[in-house]
Each structure stands twice: as C-alpha cells, then as structure tokens.
Amino acid sequence: MSSQGGNHGSTPAAWTVTILALIGCTISGVAMIAASVMVFWAGAAVVLVGCVAGLAMRMSGMGAAPARN
C-alpha cells in the first residue's frame, strides 16, 4: 500500500459531480421508462452541468490537489 495520505475524492468538487450525475441519470432513467425524449435530454444536460460545475470547482481550488509522482 502507498503511504501517501489521500482524500479518496472526498472534496466538494467530487461530491458536486457525483450528486448531479446521480440526479441526471435518475431523471434520464425515469424518462426512458416514460418514453419522454425531452426529459431524457434534460437529465443528460444535468449530468453535463455537473461535470462542468465540478471542473470549475476543481479549478477554483475545491478539488483534490494533483498527484505528485
């Protein structure tokens, strides 16, 4: 095992991406059952917004520091 201490992704940026991706996938899944194309794409948009928000948060210092080799 590595002796480096890590946060295992427990950062505000990682939690934001995870929660928004889960919400977006849930919306898209329900839309598939209901056969609603517009709601499916709305769920996909929520996932995309989550990725962009997480990237912006990481760039602003709320994410994990880059690993050093």
Side-chain angles (χ1 to χ4, degrees), residues 19-49:
I19 291 169
L20 287 175
L22 180 62
I23 291 169
C25 288
T26 302
I27 291 169
S28 291
V30 170
M32 290 179 70
I33 293 169
S36 176
V37 176
M38 292 299 290
V39 176
F40 172 82
W41 286 112
V46 171
V47 174
L48 183 62
V49 167

